[in-house]
mmCIF file of all heavy atoms in Angstrom:
data_model
loop_
_atom_site.group_PDB
_atom_site.id
_atom_site.type_symbol
_atom_site.label_atom_id
_atom_site.label_comp_id
_atom_site.label_asym_id
_atom_site.label_seq_id
_atom_site.Cartn_x
_atom_site.Cartn_y
_atom_site.Cartn_z
ATOM 1 N N ASP A 8 0.784 -1.186 0.017
ATOM 2 C CA ASP A 8 0.030 0.053 -0.008
ATOM 3 C C ASP A 8 0.822 1.306 -0.014
ATOM 4 O O ASP A 8 0.479 2.327 -0.479
ATOM 5 C CB ASP A 8 -0.954 0.028 1.194
ATOM 6 C CG ASP A 8 -1.987 -1.160 1.112
ATOM 7 O OD1 ASP A 8 -2.176 -1.685 0.036
ATOM 8 O OD2 ASP A 8 -2.632 -1.388 2.087
ATOM 9 N N PHE A 9 1.982 1.241 0.590
ATOM 10 C CA PHE A 9 2.888 2.309 0.529
ATOM 11 C C PHE A 9 3.390 2.642 -0.814
ATOM 12 O O PHE A 9 3.277 3.817 -1.268
ATOM 13 C CB PHE A 9 4.230 1.928 1.387
ATOM 14 C CG PHE A 9 5.405 2.921 1.196
ATOM 15 C CD1 PHE A 9 5.282 4.168 1.707
ATOM 16 C CD2 PHE A 9 6.427 2.564 0.350
ATOM 17 C CE1 PHE A 9 6.399 5.022 1.441
ATOM 18 C CE2 PHE A 9 7.438 3.452 0.071
ATOM 19 C CZ PHE A 9 7.390 4.679 0.638
ATOM 20 N N PHE A 10 3.767 1.627 -1.738
ATOM 21 C CA PHE A 10 4.154 1.916 -3.050
ATOM 22 C C PHE A 10 2.988 2.437 -3.946
ATOM 23 O O PHE A 10 3.204 3.288 -4.674
ATOM 24 C CB PHE A 10 4.824 0.644 -3.595
ATOM 25 C CG PHE A 10 6.207 0.482 -3.255
ATOM 26 C CD1 PHE A 10 6.573 -0.554 -2.402
ATOM 27 C CD2 PHE A 10 7.252 1.375 -3.643
ATOM 28 C CE1 PHE A 10 7.944 -0.733 -2.009
ATOM 29 C CE2 PHE A 10 8.630 1.152 -3.262
ATOM 30 C CZ PHE A 10 8.937 0.201 -2.454
ATOM 31 N N LYS A 11 1.833 1.870 -3.711
ATOM 32 C CA LYS A 11 0.678 2.269 -4.403
ATOM 33 C C LYS A 11 0.417 3.832 -4.123
ATOM 34 O O LYS A 11 0.181 4.527 -4.990
ATOM 35 C CB LYS A 11 -0.555 1.456 -4.007
ATOM 36 C CG LYS A 11 -1.819 1.857 -4.872
ATOM 37 C CD LYS A 11 -2.972 0.975 -4.508
ATOM 38 C CE LYS A 11 -4.237 1.374 -5.293
ATOM 39 N NZ LYS A 11 -5.384 0.516 -5.055
ATOM 40 N N ALA A 12 0.398 4.088 -2.870
ATOM 41 C CA ALA A 12 0.233 5.539 -2.465
ATOM 42 C C ALA A 12 1.283 6.458 -2.986
ATOM 43 O O ALA A 12 0.935 7.587 -3.389
ATOM 44 C CB ALA A 12 0.018 5.630 -0.905
ATOM 45 N N ALA A 13 2.553 5.977 -2.959
ATOM 46 C CA ALA A 13 3.602 6.854 -3.365
ATOM 47 C C ALA A 13 3.472 7.104 -4.937
ATOM 48 O O ALA A 13 3.633 8.285 -5.368
ATOM 49 C CB ALA A 13 4.903 6.130 -3.125
ATOM 50 N N ILE A 14 3.239 6.135 -5.730
ATOM 51 C CA ILE A 14 3.123 6.381 -7.092
ATOM 52 C C ILE A 14 1.772 7.143 -7.484
ATOM 53 O O ILE A 14 1.873 8.044 -8.306
ATOM 54 C CB ILE A 14 3.032 4.897 -7.895
ATOM 55 C CG1 ILE A 14 4.328 4.136 -7.537
ATOM 56 C CG2 ILE A 14 2.978 5.181 -9.380
ATOM 57 C CD1 ILE A 14 4.124 2.658 -7.995
ATOM 58 N N THR A 15 0.733 6.883 -6.833
ATOM 59 C CA THR A 15 -0.441 7.621 -7.059
ATOM 60 C C THR A 15 -0.271 8.997 -6.740
ATOM 61 O O THR A 15 -0.738 9.960 -7.390
ATOM 62 C CB THR A 15 -1.632 7.039 -6.117
ATOM 63 O OG1 THR A 15 -1.791 5.704 -6.578
ATOM 64 C CG2 THR A 15 -2.889 7.801 -6.400
ATOM 65 N N ARG A 16 0.502 9.330 -5.625
ATOM 66 C CA ARG A 16 0.687 10.711 -5.257
ATOM 67 C C ARG A 16 1.675 11.411 -6.210
ATOM 68 O O ARG A 16 1.413 12.544 -6.693
ATOM 69 C CB ARG A 16 1.403 10.722 -3.859
ATOM 70 C CG ARG A 16 1.875 12.210 -3.509
ATOM 71 C CD ARG A 16 2.499 12.206 -2.197
ATOM 72 N NE ARG A 16 3.347 13.405 -2.120
ATOM 73 C CZ ARG A 16 3.903 13.813 -1.015
ATOM 74 N NH1 ARG A 16 3.914 13.051 0.111
ATOM 75 N NH2 ARG A 16 4.709 14.880 -1.089
ATOM 76 N N ASP A 17 2.842 10.804 -6.642
ATOM 77 C CA ASP A 17 3.853 11.539 -7.405
ATOM 78 C C ASP A 17 3.862 11.197 -8.882
ATOM 79 O O ASP A 17 4.556 11.892 -9.587
ATOM 80 C CB ASP A 17 5.218 11.104 -6.825
ATOM 81 C CG ASP A 17 5.414 11.753 -5.448
ATOM 82 O OD1 ASP A 17 4.801 12.769 -5.199
ATOM 83 O OD2 ASP A 17 6.267 11.275 -4.680
ATOM 84 N N ALA A 18 3.048 10.321 -9.248
ATOM 85 C CA ALA A 18 2.940 9.932 -10.738
ATOM 86 C C ALA A 18 1.500 9.531 -11.104
ATOM 87 O O ALA A 18 1.228 8.407 -11.482
ATOM 88 C CB ALA A 18 3.898 8.822 -11.161
ATOM 89 N N ALA A 19 0.519 10.469 -10.761
ATOM 90 C CA ALA A 19 -0.861 10.102 -10.969
ATOM 91 C C ALA A 19 -1.136 9.491 -12.386
ATOM 92 O O ALA A 19 -0.640 10.061 -13.358
ATOM 93 C CB ALA A 19 -1.647 11.424 -10.765
ATOM 94 N N GLY A 20 -1.845 8.457 -12.314
ATOM 95 C CA GLY A 20 -2.241 7.767 -13.596
ATOM 96 C C GLY A 20 -1.266 6.820 -14.135
ATOM 97 O O GLY A 20 -1.525 6.126 -15.069
ATOM 98 N N GLN A 21 -0.131 6.637 -13.462
ATOM 99 C CA GLN A 21 0.828 5.735 -13.839
ATOM 100 C C GLN A 21 1.077 4.517 -12.879
ATOM 101 O O GLN A 21 2.007 3.715 -13.061
ATOM 102 C CB GLN A 21 2.201 6.492 -13.974
ATOM 103 C CG GLN A 21 2.139 7.683 -14.924
ATOM 104 C CD GLN A 21 3.547 8.410 -14.962
ATOM 105 O OE1 GLN A 21 4.548 7.845 -15.290
ATOM 106 N NE2 GLN A 21 3.456 9.684 -14.812
ATOM 107 N N THR A 22 0.151 4.403 -12.008
ATOM 108 C CA THR A 22 0.252 3.300 -11.013
ATOM 109 C C THR A 22 -0.066 1.899 -11.671
ATOM 110 O O THR A 22 -1.079 1.749 -12.334
ATOM 111 C CB THR A 22 -0.681 3.481 -9.875
ATOM 112 O OG1 THR A 22 -0.494 4.762 -9.284
ATOM 113 C CG2 THR A 22 -0.393 2.495 -8.638
ATOM 114 N N LEU A 23 0.820 0.932 -11.430
ATOM 115 C CA LEU A 23 0.612 -0.323 -11.869
ATOM 116 C C LEU A 23 -0.782 -0.914 -11.428
ATOM 117 O O LEU A 23 -1.093 -0.762 -10.283
ATOM 118 C CB LEU A 23 1.730 -1.350 -11.526
ATOM 119 C CG LEU A 23 1.597 -2.750 -11.855
ATOM 120 C CD1 LEU A 23 1.744 -3.009 -13.342
ATOM 121 C CD2 LEU A 23 2.634 -3.601 -11.062
ATOM 122 N N ARG A 24 -1.478 -1.587 -12.303
ATOM 123 C CA ARG A 24 -2.783 -2.117 -11.868
ATOM 124 C C ARG A 24 -2.643 -3.216 -10.910
ATOM 125 O O ARG A 24 -1.558 -3.735 -10.774
ATOM 126 C CB ARG A 24 -3.498 -2.598 -13.135
ATOM 127 C CG ARG A 24 -2.907 -3.868 -13.760
ATOM 128 C CD ARG A 24 -3.435 -4.289 -15.171
ATOM 129 N NE ARG A 24 -3.039 -3.263 -16.097
ATOM 130 C CZ ARG A 24 -3.275 -3.469 -17.455
ATOM 131 N NH1 ARG A 24 -3.909 -4.523 -17.822
ATOM 132 N NH2 ARG A 24 -2.881 -2.572 -18.355
ATOM 133 N N GLY A 25 -3.746 -3.546 -10.240
ATOM 134 C CA GLY A 25 -3.663 -4.758 -9.333
ATOM 135 C C GLY A 25 -3.350 -6.052 -10.214
ATOM 136 O O GLY A 25 -3.993 -6.197 -11.150
ATOM 137 N N LEU A 26 -2.516 -6.787 -9.668
ATOM 138 C CA LEU A 26 -2.072 -8.026 -10.371
ATOM 139 C C LEU A 26 -2.833 -9.121 -9.862
ATOM 140 O O LEU A 26 -3.416 -9.136 -8.793
ATOM 141 C CB LEU A 26 -0.635 -8.321 -10.271
ATOM 142 C CG LEU A 26 0.315 -7.126 -10.806
ATOM 143 C CD1 LEU A 26 1.828 -7.416 -10.532
ATOM 144 C CD2 LEU A 26 0.066 -6.942 -12.309
ATOM 145 N N THR A 27 -2.758 -10.376 -10.530
ATOM 146 C CA THR A 27 -3.422 -11.613 -10.078
ATOM 147 C C THR A 27 -2.423 -12.642 -9.941
ATOM 148 O O THR A 27 -1.963 -13.307 -10.879
ATOM 149 C CB THR A 27 -4.418 -12.004 -11.286
ATOM 150 O OG1 THR A 27 -5.250 -10.960 -11.611
ATOM 151 C CG2 THR A 27 -5.269 -13.186 -10.774
ATOM 152 N N PRO A 28 -2.047 -12.851 -8.646
ATOM 153 C CA PRO A 28 -1.073 -13.924 -8.380
ATOM 154 C C PRO A 28 -1.578 -15.347 -8.602
ATOM 155 O O PRO A 28 -2.868 -15.480 -8.598
ATOM 156 C CB PRO A 28 -0.803 -13.725 -6.838
ATOM 157 C CG PRO A 28 -1.170 -12.323 -6.682
ATOM 158 C CD PRO A 28 -2.453 -12.058 -7.439
ATOM 159 N N LYS A 29 -0.743 -16.200 -8.912
ATOM 160 C CA LYS A 29 -1.187 -17.610 -9.118
ATOM 161 C C LYS A 29 -0.040 -18.525 -8.451
ATOM 162 O O LYS A 29 1.135 -18.164 -8.395
ATOM 163 C CB LYS A 29 -1.247 -17.944 -10.655
ATOM 164 C CG LYS A 29 -0.019 -17.660 -11.412
ATOM 165 C CD LYS A 29 -0.218 -18.104 -12.909
ATOM 166 C CE LYS A 29 1.132 -17.903 -13.772
ATOM 167 N NZ LYS A 29 0.908 -18.223 -15.183
ATOM 168 N N TYR A 30 -0.593 -19.690 -8.003
ATOM 169 C CA TYR A 30 0.315 -20.592 -7.276
ATOM 170 C C TYR A 30 0.126 -22.005 -7.683
ATOM 171 O O TYR A 30 -1.037 -22.363 -8.140
ATOM 172 C CB TYR A 30 0.138 -20.498 -5.816
ATOM 173 C CG TYR A 30 0.024 -19.065 -5.230
ATOM 174 C CD1 TYR A 30 -1.128 -18.376 -5.080
ATOM 175 C CD2 TYR A 30 1.193 -18.420 -4.851
ATOM 176 C CE1 TYR A 30 -1.149 -17.086 -4.622
ATOM 177 C CE2 TYR A 30 1.206 -17.220 -4.352
ATOM 178 C CZ TYR A 30 -0.003 -16.459 -4.274
ATOM 179 O OH TYR A 30 -0.035 -15.137 -3.772
ATOM 180 N N PRO A 31 1.155 -22.900 -7.619
ATOM 181 C CA PRO A 31 0.868 -24.297 -7.827
ATOM 182 C C PRO A 31 -0.176 -24.858 -6.796
ATOM 183 O O PRO A 31 -0.357 -24.227 -5.656
ATOM 184 C CB PRO A 31 2.331 -24.872 -7.449
ATOM 185 C CG PRO A 31 3.279 -23.846 -7.778
ATOM 186 C CD PRO A 31 2.512 -22.585 -7.283
ATOM 187 N N ALA A 32 -0.857 -25.896 -7.223
ATOM 188 C CA ALA A 32 -1.995 -26.325 -6.452
ATOM 189 C C ALA A 32 -1.798 -26.676 -5.059
ATOM 190 O O ALA A 32 -2.492 -26.432 -4.132
ATOM 191 C CB ALA A 32 -2.598 -27.536 -7.153
ATOM 192 N N ALA A 33 -0.525 -27.200 -4.718
ATOM 193 C CA ALA A 33 -0.198 -27.645 -3.433
ATOM 194 C C ALA A 33 0.491 -26.610 -2.513
ATOM 195 O O ALA A 33 0.894 -26.927 -1.467
ATOM 196 C CB ALA A 33 0.723 -28.881 -3.530
ATOM 197 N N THR A 34 0.546 -25.346 -2.939
ATOM 198 C CA THR A 34 1.236 -24.339 -2.327
ATOM 199 C C THR A 34 0.936 -24.219 -0.798
ATOM 200 O O THR A 34 1.758 -24.089 0.100
ATOM 201 C CB THR A 34 1.100 -22.964 -2.948
ATOM 202 O OG1 THR A 34 1.639 -23.025 -4.354
ATOM 203 C CG2 THR A 34 1.919 -21.873 -2.205
ATOM 204 N N PHE A 35 -0.281 -24.185 -0.494
ATOM 205 C CA PHE A 35 -0.738 -23.931 0.895
ATOM 206 C C PHE A 35 -1.293 -25.177 1.611
ATOM 207 O O PHE A 35 -1.923 -25.068 2.648
ATOM 208 C CB PHE A 35 -2.002 -22.885 0.793
ATOM 209 C CG PHE A 35 -1.569 -21.634 0.005
ATOM 210 C CD1 PHE A 35 -1.958 -21.389 -1.290
ATOM 211 C CD2 PHE A 35 -0.861 -20.577 0.811
ATOM 212 C CE1 PHE A 35 -1.546 -20.230 -1.929
ATOM 213 C CE2 PHE A 35 -0.540 -19.372 0.165
ATOM 214 C CZ PHE A 35 -0.858 -19.227 -1.175
ATOM 215 N N THR A 36 -0.818 -26.319 1.240
ATOM 216 C CA THR A 36 -1.296 -27.538 1.789
ATOM 217 C C THR A 36 -0.428 -28.058 2.974
ATOM 218 O O THR A 36 -0.943 -28.893 3.823
ATOM 219 C CB THR A 36 -1.498 -28.626 0.711
ATOM 220 O OG1 THR A 36 -0.193 -28.889 0.164
ATOM 221 C CG2 THR A 36 -2.468 -28.178 -0.377
ATOM 222 N N ASP A 37 0.857 -27.763 2.865
ATOM 223 C CA ASP A 37 1.754 -28.299 3.953
ATOM 224 C C ASP A 37 2.886 -27.329 4.310
ATOM 225 O O ASP A 37 3.083 -26.337 3.656
ATOM 226 C CB ASP A 37 2.249 -29.655 3.611
ATOM 227 C CG ASP A 37 3.066 -29.653 2.239
ATOM 228 O OD1 ASP A 37 3.946 -28.751 2.113
ATOM 229 O OD2 ASP A 37 2.825 -30.528 1.426
ATOM 230 N N ARG A 38 3.548 -27.609 5.376
ATOM 231 C CA ARG A 38 4.599 -26.726 5.924
ATOM 232 C C ARG A 38 5.746 -26.583 4.899
ATOM 233 O O ARG A 38 6.282 -25.442 4.608
ATOM 234 C CB ARG A 38 5.143 -27.276 7.195
ATOM 235 C CG ARG A 38 6.287 -26.507 7.765
ATOM 236 C CD ARG A 38 6.875 -27.143 9.061
ATOM 237 N NE ARG A 38 8.048 -26.572 9.501
ATOM 238 C CZ ARG A 38 8.130 -25.629 10.439
ATOM 239 N NH1 ARG A 38 7.037 -25.111 10.922
ATOM 240 N NH2 ARG A 38 9.249 -25.102 10.866
ATOM 241 N N ALA A 39 6.112 -27.653 4.262
ATOM 242 C CA ALA A 39 7.273 -27.572 3.300
ATOM 243 C C ALA A 39 6.996 -26.709 2.063
ATOM 244 O O ALA A 39 7.823 -25.943 1.747
ATOM 245 C CB ALA A 39 7.552 -29.038 2.801
#
């Protein structure tokens, strides 16, 4: 949120859009 606010403040209209992360299916299933 810091970077979003910084870019929005000092470079209005140039802020990178919200991205869509993706992960392998088993990412959140175990400790390892």
Side-chain angles (χ1 to χ4, degrees):
D8 294 345
F9 166 77
F10 281 109
K11 181 177 181 179
I14 304 166
T15 299
R16 172 183 158 176
D17 290 336
Q21 300 178 55
T22 309
L23 177 67
R24 71 190 69 174
L26 300 177
T27 310
K29 60 181 180 178
Y30 310 94
T34 298
F35 303 99
T36 60
D37 59 48
R38 177 184 172 91

